[in-house]
Amino acid sequence: MKTDDLIRALAADREPAGPKPGFALFVAAACGFVVSAVLFMWQIGLRPDLLSAMLSFDFMLKPVEMGLLAVAAAILVVRLARPGVPFGRTWLVVAAVPAIMVAALAVELMRVPHAEWLVRLAGAHWYLCVINMVLLAMPILAAVLFGLRYGAPTRPVLAGAMAGLLSGALSATLYISHCPDDSPIFVAAWFTLAIAISTGIGALAGGRLLRW
Amino acid sequence: MKGDAEWADLMRAAKAGNGAAYDRCLREMAQALRPLVRRGMYRAGANPAETEDVVQDILIAVHLKRHTWDDTRPIGPWIAGIARYKIIDSLRKRGSRIELPIEDFVEIIPAETETEIASERDVTRSLEALPEGQRNVVRAIAIDGISIASTAQKLNMSEGAVRVALHRGLGALAKRHSQDT
């Protein structure tokens, strides 16, 4: 078939091309988040002292950090869904979150005696925290990757990684309302690990699933 | 860049339902893409004779992904992004792992054009692999050049069914290409 013939067929095709990437991704992420939230309430549940915890600075730092991360990752995912769109300065917001974590960690290390450090690092059950956050991220990641297929990501690995970062941050946001450990030592270690794992899974999956 | 604003206008007209504008837009893009793709293939040590196949891949992608162009942004970087992705994709399928310098794709210059060198390989072969209904519709509209209405009459289908078969056929062509190894 000649290119001229192909163009004739393309021009004759008037079926709508698809939803705008931002809309498709929003719907996908919202569906994934609802699934994770239901799983969370059903299997894990809120911490009993949630309301009083919300008065503490260390607790409130967590949703602020995860919220910033989720918003920045969402913007990057939408940008990566469109060919030829530059990142802009959103990277700075992503980088700001580890900076806040490190600052909070430094303050905590100065405030708390050496003997307490490892206790706070281990928390109530750090491994459950990591496993649960990664597991809760998976429905969101699957949904966001599905939404990305409506876009045209020219960097599939990076787009997948940012989808993983977004799902990790959203899953962490949910998990905050259960996790009894508010110490910045705990957050800097295990939240970071869980989000890094879901980002890695996203990158691997993106490289395989986001071909178009 | 001269072409950018022009193509953006054509593409906006196309979105509003102007088929002639869309046809012209795709033809001009094809002409501008040819030298760009040939250069990319040459640099990567691939066979420049496959240029036309890659140009066709890019055009199908431009068509099927046209909703990912934000019409408040310039259209040049969007096309360049798709072109670069599809060139690398086709090189990867041939087993070479290649990095293309992004500077090559910063500008697509419409003045630098080239006409098609006949290529019968990829798209034609993929056309044969389509389900019969889609293949007949795509062939009638593309190669015989008849309208949707006449195709419907000729194949004894409703116009709506022809439209759907055409759309699905083009989508299947794109998929076949991206999975083909």
Side-chain angles (χ1 to χ4, degrees), chain A residues 75-103:
Chain A
I75 293 172
L76 288 174
V77 171
V78 174
R79 291 206 170 153
L80 284 164
R82 296 177 184 270
V85 175
F87 291 136
R89 301 221 177 94
T90 318
W91 283 115
L92 293 176
V93 183
V94 175
V97 173
I100 297 173
M101 282 184 175
V102 169

Side-chain angles (χ1 to χ4, degrees), chain A residues 93-155:
Chain A
V93 183
V94 175
V97 173
I100 297 173
M101 282 184 175
V102 169
L105 178 66
V107 172
E108 174 88 342
L109 291 181
M110 283 190 285
R111 203 173 52 180
V112 174
H114 278 61
E116 256 306 277
W117 288 4
L118 278 178
V119 179
R120 298 214 175 187
L121 176 64
H125 32 234
W126 61 271
Y127 50 91
L128 274 184
C129 164
V130 173
I131 293 168
N132 283 335
M133 278 200 276
V134 171
L135 288 180
L136 282 177
M138 291 303 110
I140 307 173
L141 176 60
V144 174
L145 288 174
F146 182 77
L148 268 172
R149 293 181 64 90
Y150 284 96
T154 54
R155 275 169 279 196

Side-chain angles (χ1 to χ4, degrees), chain A residues 1 3 8 13 150-151 212, chain B residues 52 63 65 67 86 124 142:
Chain A
M1 180 157 58
T3 303
R8 202 177 296 131
D13 176 25
Y150 284 96
W212 49 279
Chain B
E52 205 58 32
H63 174 68
K65 298 293 186 182
H67 60 291
K86 284 294 172 185
T124 309

Side-chain angles (χ1 to χ4, degrees), chain B residues 6-169:
Chain B
E6 237 173 75
W7 285 347
D9 285 342
L10 286 173
M11 201 69 170
R12 271 187 219 105
K15 276 191 176 180
N18 183 339
Y22 192 40
D23 194 274
R24 204 180 116 204
C25 186
L26 290 173
R27 272 168 220 285
E28 287 189 9
M29 282 178 191
Q31 286 186 348
L33 285 166
R34 240 164 241 135
L36 184 89
V37 173
R38 173 160 299 115
R39 214 181 308 139
M41 303 291 278
Y42 178 77
R43 282 209 184 179
N47 184 359
E50 285 167 14
T51 298
E52 205 58 32
D53 299 323
V54 179
V55 169
Q56 294 189 351
D57 276 351
I58 299 171
L59 291 174
I60 297 178
V62 160
H63 174 68
L64 292 176
K65 298 293 186 182
R66 61 196 188 279
H67 60 291
T68 65
W69 174 52
D70 173 354
D71 60 12
T72 61
R73 285 180 181 275
I75 200 168
W78 178 74
I79 299 168
I82 292 178
R84 186 166 180 273
Y85 177 77
K86 284 294 172 185
I87 294 172
I88 291 176
D89 194 46
S90 84
L91 295 172
R92 194 181 285 132
K93 274 185 281 181
R94 286 163 184 79
S96 33
R97 235 192 136 68
I98 243 64
E99 284 297 316
L100 288 176
I102 196 147
E103 309 85 63
D104 282 14
F105 297 87
V106 171
E107 274 187 56
I108 296 184
I109 306 158
E112 189 189 354
T113 57
E114 228 177 83
T115 45
E116 169 178 3
I117 295 170
S119 152
E120 294 289 324
R121 216 185 56 86
D122 256 352
V123 171
T124 309
R125 202 181 53 198
S126 313
L127 195 58
E128 296 308 319
L130 292 183
E132 197 189 349
Q134 293 174 5
R135 185 174 65 220
N136 289 340
V137 167
V138 174
R139 189 176 280 149
I141 290 167
I143 297 172
D144 307 339
I146 61 179
S147 70
I148 293 212
S150 322
T151 306
Q153 244 174 12
K154 185 181 147 198
L155 299 176
N156 201 16
M157 295 162 75
S158 76
E159 283 188 31
V162 169
R163 279 195 201 99
V164 170
L166 175 64
H167 185 68
R168 296 217 175 123

